[in-house]
Amino acid sequence: MSTDWQVSQAHIIASFVFAFLGLFGHALLSSRISTQLPGQQRHWQLTSALLLAAALWCALLMARLGLNIRWAGFNGAWTLIFIALLGCMTLINRTYGTRSGLQSLLAAALLALTLSFSVMAGLASDTGIPKDRILVSRHFLITLALFFLVGLLLAFDLTARLQKPGSAGLVRVAATAVFGAVILTVGRHMITSAYLPSMPPFTSLTDAEHAGRLLLALFLTLTFLLLLTVVFLAFITQRKFHEQAVHLENTQSIIERMHDSRGHLEQLAHYDTLTQLYNRHAFLDAFTQRLHDARQSSGKLAVLFIDLDNFKSVNDSMGHAAGDELLRIISRRLRTVLRGHDLIGRIGGDEFCLVAPIGNIEEAKSIAARILNKMHEPIAISGRAVTTTTSIGISLFPYDGESQDVLIKNADFALYQSKGSGRNTMNFYSDYLSHKSHRELKIQHDLQKAITQSELFLQYQPVRNLGSGAIVALEALIRWQHPEKGILTPEHFINIAEFNGFVDLVDTWVTRKICRDMHTLSAAGHILRITMNCSAMNLNNDRFISEILRILEEERIERSLFKLEISESILFEYRHKAPVFLSRLKESGIGLVVDDFGSGSSSLVWLKTLPICELKLDRCLLGNEGQDNDIVSALISMAQLMHWEVTAKGVESHETAEWLTGAGCNNAQGYGIEPPLRLPELMALLSSRAEHYANDL
């Protein structure tokens, strides 16, 4: 073969550069397509495919320009067909070539067939070689196999990995170079091996034809580079727009999150996180506005201060989680009884405050009554039934104050009165309550000091057996030696201690004092049982019994000598809560004495279930000049059938004592028997002849 048939090496190198740039650009664009907006991805996929097709066409055309032969002509139609088919096959290869199995092989075969047929058909048309001679060439299968290899390289996983964002730059460059070299090797084989043997006799190119081809190659190079530059500039510009759009979207997202955070912060700033009611700060701000509006319109407002009666006991017995759930339930119930224009907030702990526009006092009373009734409904927390009540204090604008602070303070005074008068009730503010509250606040302050400064003391009222006249028991009565007011009895300070949460300190002091006085009496040879009065608060305190048992054990006192005394009215009022307390009392071995029996409405069937060891008849049964003797006789007979001891209280005369003895009553106590005595006086009485009943009555 003549050297004139050789292909120019410069054109081969230029062809390689075209193939390399096209493949590299295709891989680079493909790796960035996934970062575009969804609507633009298909557009850039088509652009990437056409760029590769144009690059391969330019590479093969550059190789053909390197042939030292004349062409029959330049066929533009076949060129366009070649580029279009190659672009379509590249898209198909991109879509299906990275999949496994038959789809990958079919995609690679279609790409190879397109390359082979387009190039050969184009050469045949341009060089004047008959198509049938080319298509039946013995080198066709070799050519098809080589292009099939190109299709596989582009189709399989390596191409897919190169198209991923973040692929290593050197790896992409090296792989692209390999692809370009393979394609050019195939193209050169087609030209020099497949087609040249079929070429007709030729005429060498003139200098002018060489110069024309050189200019054409230069034009082709500049055109391709310009195309490549435009595509990449467009892509970079589009990417910048995309980045700005993403940045704008992120900024919008940040603004939305800031808006949500602001709303959340406002929620935290104005609402209580537990109950979702106004917190103290927001409530007071809203209250100020309501006062302003009421002044402008000459309206009236009711300020209701609401407090749960037994919240502390629920917290202590069931835990803080149960206490929180109780507050949530109470808050929901409060909302159900309010009108749309009423204002409510959680002031703190278990305290709520309600501001309601009213027309008259009866309207305020009606609102309070609805709240009290709603709170009577049973509540279930963690599978346990909880009964709670509320106490309410009410002040009225403008009668009880003009300012927010004064109205809340006066409503608090009224609440204090509701707590002190038995709870589960309402009270309106009055000047009397204000003076009374000031006095009680001072007593509260003094009582806290009295516990630590030994101002409290005990008196014991003896209980005599009516048969033998002997003192068989003592009732412990707490007293307070006030430095200014003298001796105060429990009704002046116990309610204050209960309301302010330090009655436990008083109970602990009384229990330990009784135990130590028992040791003193026992050392003198006087073994007596002593009863300690128990309040309603103790029934709600799960730790009360365990604390008494702990003190008895520490002081080494027999449980059979220590009794708890509870009035019948308290037992009946708290009958739904009392079973737990009484069950623990029964297990403890401490006896129960029912005080003021006969004044309540207890069921005898219910009383039979209690761990009772003694009944104390109410003094009112003995003060009607014998009119209630039949009732007393019946109660004594009933107690004897139940094997309960009976003690008559308030016995003031010898005649009453004699009648009780004849009726079968076991014991008696009262000022006609013995007055309450301090321990030294009691010791003297027990050691003297006055201890004999016959001499005392």
Side-chain angles (χ1 to χ4, degrees):
M1 185 183 296
S2 174
T3 56
D4 290 335
W5 289 100
Q6 297 300 314
V7 180
S8 170
Q9 297 300 320
H11 286 75
I12 291 298
I13 294 174
S15 298
F16 174 78
V17 171
F18 281 135
F20 173 82
L21 291 177
L23 287 167
F24 185 82
H26 173 71
L28 186 62
L29 288 177
S30 298
S31 68
R32 296 293 188 268
I33 286 175
S34 61
T35 65
Q36 299 298 309
L37 296 175
Q40 299 173 349
Q41 290 183 2
R42 180 58 62 181
H43 164 73
W44 285 106
Q45 286 176 351
L46 178 60
T47 301
S48 172
L50 292 177
L51 176 65
L52 178 60
L56 294 178
W57 176 80
C58 289
L60 294 175
L61 181 59
M62 183 63 72
R64 290 166 61 186
L65 289 174
L67 284 173
N68 191 18
I69 61 174
R70 285 191 180 90
W71 294 350
F74 182 77
N75 193 323
W78 276 111
T79 299
L80 293 177
I81 292 173
F82 170 72
I83 294 175
L85 286 176
L86 188 58
C88 292
M89 290 305 101
T90 304
L91 276 178
I92 294 173
N93 180 72
R94 173 176 173 80
T95 304
Y96 296 100
T98 56
R99 302 184 183 182
S100 59
L102 182 61
Q103 289 180 336
S104 298
L105 295 176
L106 289 176
L110 284 173
L111 182 59
L113 184 61
T114 302
L115 285 168
S116 300
F117 178 79
S118 298
V119 174
M120 290 189 297
L123 278 172
S125 180
D126 291 344
T127 59
I129 304 173
K131 296 182 180 64
D132 56 346
R133 293 181 61 188
I134 294 177
L135 293 177
V136 299
S137 171
R138 63 185 177 84
H139 296 286
F140 175 73
L141 293 177
I142 300 175
T143 303
L144 183 60
L146 290 173
F147 271 111
F148 187 74
L149 175 62
V150 175
L152 288 176
L153 287 173
L154 290 174
F156 287 155
D157 188 62
L158 181 58
T159 304
R161 294 190 181 189
L162 292 176
Q163 291 174 356
K164 290 182 179 179
S167 298
L170 291 177
V171 175
R172 182 182 288 121
V173 170
T176 304
V178 172
F179 291 164
V182 171
I183 289 175
L184 289 182
T185 301
V186 172
R188 185 172 181 178
H189 171 78
M190 290 171 60
I191 295 170
T192 60
S193 302
Y195 306 134
L196 292 183
S198 302
M199 294 291 288
F202 68 93
T203 303
S204 299
L205 297 176
T206 65
D207 292 340
E209 289 174 331
H210 276 295
R213 289 198 177 189
L214 182 62
L215 288 175
L216 181 60
L218 181 61
F219 175 76
L220 182 65
T221 301
L222 293 176
T223 302
F224 176 75
L225 292 177
L226 179 62
L227 174 65
L228 192 66
T229 302
V230 170
V231 170
F232 273 92
L233 285 177
F235 183 81
I236 293 172
T237 302
Q238 180 66 32
R239 189 173 67 178
K240 291 294 183 182
F241 283 141
H242 172 68
E243 290 175 352
Q244 290 179 358
V246 171
H247 178 70
L248 182 61
E249 184 179 350
N250 292 337
T251 302
Q252 182 67 26
S253 177
I254 292 173
I255 292 174
E256 291 176 357
R257 288 199 300 270
M258 290 178 64
H259 180 73
D260 295 341
S261 299
R262 180 181 178 183
H264 181 63
L265 290 175
E266 288 181 354
Q267 177 78 10
L268 292 177
H270 293 89
Y271 291 90
D272 176 59
T273 56
L274 182 64
T275 63
Q276 301 306 310
L277 300 177
Y278 273 136
N279 58 26
R280 183 183 183 90
H281 177 75
F283 173 79
L284 294 179
D285 285 346
F287 188 8
T288 300
Q289 183 61 43
R290 294 295 179 93
L291 278 176
H292 175 75
D293 296 342
R295 291 190 189 99
Q296 295 295 321
S297 61
S298 300
K300 302 179 181 67
L301 295 175
V303 180
L304 286 73
F305 213 88
I306 306 165
D307 186 85
L308 301 185
D309 289 332
N310 62 333
F311 179 70
K312 184 177 182 298
S313 63
V314 173
N315 248 352
D316 293 342
S317 60
M318 301 180 64
H320 291 286
D324 291 345
E325 180 62 21
L326 177 61
L327 288 175
R328 282 190 286 266
I329 294 173
I330 293 299
S331 301
R332 290 195 293 268
R333 290 189 175 184
L334 286 174
R335 289 194 191 96
T336 62
V337 300
L338 301 183
R339 303 165 300 180
H341 50 276
D342 293 337
L343 172 68
I344 189 169
R346 183 187 178 198
I347 303 302
D350 59 340
E351 295 177 340
F352 303 86
C353 193
L354 166 68
V355 176
I358 59 171
N360 51 59
I361 294 179
E362 289 302 318
E363 192 173 351
K365 186 182 295 185
S366 174
I367 295 172
R370 290 203 307 271
I371 294 174
L372 292 174
N373 292 333
K374 191 67 176 178
M375 296 307 137
H376 274 300
E377 298 177 6
I379 297 173
I381 299 178
S382 301
R384 293 176 56 180
V386 176
T387 303
T388 185
T389 57
T390 57
S391 297
I392 303 175
I394 308 171
S395 64
L396 304 175
F397 170 83
Y399 310 111
D400 300 327
E402 292 281 342
S403 70
Q404 179 188 94
D405 293 339
V406 172
L407 286 168
I408 291 178
K409 180 182 70 174
N410 290 341
D412 195 21
F413 283 147
L415 171 65
Y416 196 89
Q417 176 65 20
S418 297
K419 289 285 191 179
S421 58
R423 308 187 178 198
N424 190 31
T425 186
M426 72 179 87
N427 272 282
F428 284 84
Y429 171 78
S430 67
D431 290 336
Y432 166 74
L433 289 181
S434 178
H435 295 308
K436 181 180 179 183
S437 295
H438 283 301
R439 292 197 306 271
E440 291 183 347
L441 285 173
K442 187 175 187 312
I443 290 177
Q444 172 191 339
H445 179 265
D446 293 343
L447 181 57
Q448 288 175 314
K449 294 192 303 181
I451 296 174
T452 58
Q453 295 181 2
S454 302
E455 293 178 4
L456 300 179
F457 65 93
L458 293 180
Q459 287 184 330
Y460 295 97
Q461 185 167 33
V463 177
R464 287 188 181 273
N465 181 271
L466 289 173
S468 64
I471 296 176
V472 294
L474 303 170
E475 180 180 351
L477 304 170
I478 188 172
R479 302 289 186 261
W480 178 11
Q481 184 66 57
H482 194 280
E484 299 175 3
K485 303 179 182 297
I487 296 177
L488 299 179
T489 54
E491 56 266 22
H492 292 96
F493 61 87
I494 285 297
N495 284 343
I496 298 175
E498 291 178 346
F499 180 71
N500 290 281
F502 55 88
V503 70
D504 292 349
L505 299 177
V506 177
D507 289 333
T508 299
W509 182 88
V510 171
T511 305
R512 199 170 291 279
K513 178 62 175 169
I514 289 174
C515 292
R516 292 174 181 175
D517 288 347
M518 277 184 170
H519 284 300
T520 303
L521 290 169
S522 178
H526 307 295
I527 309 298
L528 301 172
R529 67 176 185 268
I530 299 180
T531 61
M532 170 182 166
N533 286 287
C534 183
S535 69
M537 287 289 292
N538 300 132
L539 296 180
N540 293 322
N541 187 354
D542 290 342
R543 297 177 300 177
F544 178 68
I545 298 297
S546 59
E547 183 67 14
I548 286 180
L549 293 176
R550 183 184 65 81
I551 296 174
L552 293 179
E553 184 175 354
E554 289 178 357
E555 299 292 340
R556 298 182 180 180
I557 296 296
E558 293 183 17
R559 298 181 185 181
S560 60
L561 297 177
F562 188 91
K563 311 293 181 185
L564 288 178
E565 191 168 316
I566 307 175
S567 71
E568 180 194 10
S569 60
I570 290 178
L571 280 173
F572 184 75
E573 181 181 355
Y574 290 84
R575 60 189 178 278
H576 299 298
K577 302 176 183 178
V580 176
F581 173 87
L582 295 173
S583 175
R584 293 179 179 176
L585 181 64
K586 185 175 182 180
E587 293 173 359
S588 71
I590 297 174
L592 172 63
V593 178
V594 180
D595 194 15
D596 299 328
F597 186 75
S599 61
S601 55
S602 301
S603 166
L604 295 179
V605 175
W606 176 67
L607 288 173
K608 185 179 178 181
T609 64
L610 306 182
I612 297 172
C613 63
E614 183 179 350
L615 298 181
K616 285 193 175 182
L617 301 178
D618 193 292
R619 64 183 70 247
C620 67
L621 297 175
L622 303 177
N624 293 330
E625 298 180 353
Q627 296 181 11
D628 295 326
N629 286 351
D630 292 341
I631 297 176
V632 173
S633 296
L635 292 176
I636 293 173
S637 298
M638 181 272 298
Q640 289 174 345
L641 290 174
M642 302 298 297
H643 304 289
W644 296 335
E645 283 195 34
V646 180
T647 297
K649 293 182 64 176
V651 178
E652 306 293 340
S653 65
H654 180 72
E655 291 75 13
T656 301
E658 284 186 342
W659 182 86
L660 288 168
T661 302
C665 184
N666 304 104
N667 309 311
Q669 75 177 89
Y671 278 84
I673 303 296
E674 291 293 345
L677 303 170
R678 300 187 73 163
L679 184 62
E681 297 167 342
L682 177 64
M683 295 284 290
L685 173 64
L686 293 172
S687 301
S688 68
R689 292 186 178 183
E691 202 271 342
H692 296 288
Y693 177 71
N695 294 334
D696 291 333
L697 296 177

